[in-house]
Amino acid sequence: MRKNSIKNTRINGEVQRELSEIIRTEIKDPRVTGAMVSVVSVEVTPDLKYCKAYISVLGGGDAAGDAITGLKSAVGYIRRELARRVNLRNTPEISFILDQSIEYGVHMSRLIDEVTKDLKED
């Protein structure tokens, strides 16, 4: 199976949808529920053994680290819930990776707004 096959794309979408639902509704860890945590994207390997989940956290730098730590401590429960909800041959081992692209985009947008505001004043 190729990496970009239709089947792999569907599995990535389904796993992303279920992971975000599990994190939003099932996880009770205050490190995770204290910040707004969203699943940006998911990459499941073609053999369904491993999964990289890119997580975005809205909040300060400490909130992001705490949320990733909380998710890593709850990875067993998350994997069990994922196995119960998604019918796959293998339930992948999940690794959570902090994705700061949304935060970076907001920062760049603010910088652009400041520059355009200065240009309008001149």
Side-chain angles (χ1 to χ4, degrees):
M1 181 168 60
R2 293 184 340 249
K3 184 173 177 131
N4 294 330
S5 69
I6 295 172
K7 180 181 176 186
N8 201 359
T9 304
R10 284 185 185 169
I11 289 172
N12 288 343
E14 185 66 24
V15 169
Q16 179 180 356
R17 190 175 316 111
E18 292 300 329
L19 268 181
S20 61
E21 182 71 21
I22 291 168
I23 290 171
R24 189 168 43 88
T25 60
E26 302 290 328
I27 302 297
K28 303 296 183 213
D29 191 338
R31 296 175 289 189
V32 177
T33 58
M36 186 173 160
V37 177
S38 61
V39 180
V40 176
S41 69
V42 170
E43 292 178 3
V44 179
T45 57
D47 62 354
L48 305 177
K49 297 278 186 188
Y50 302 99
C51 170
K52 291 181 185 177
Y54 294 94
I55 305 295
S56 176
V57 180
L58 191 62
D62 294 340
D66 290 343
I68 293 294
T69 305
L71 288 172
K72 286 182 180 178
S73 68
V75 74
Y77 174 76
I78 294 171
R79 187 174 181 204
R80 185 175 65 238
E81 280 295 310
L82 187 65
R84 190 177 64 78
R85 294 177 182 208
V86 180
N87 186 17
L88 293 174
R89 185 174 3 136
N90 299 320
T91 303
E93 292 181 25
I94 305 166
S95 61
F96 294 104
I97 300 169
L98 183 61
D99 184 19
Q100 297 175 333
S101 62
I102 295 175
E103 187 175 320
Y104 179 74
V106 169
H107 175 70
M108 292 305 288
S109 178
R110 286 184 189 153
L111 291 176
I112 291 170
D113 289 343
E114 288 177 15
V115 170
T116 56
K117 185 177 75 172
D118 291 342
L119 291 175
K120 287 180 183 177
E121 290 175 358
D122 291 343

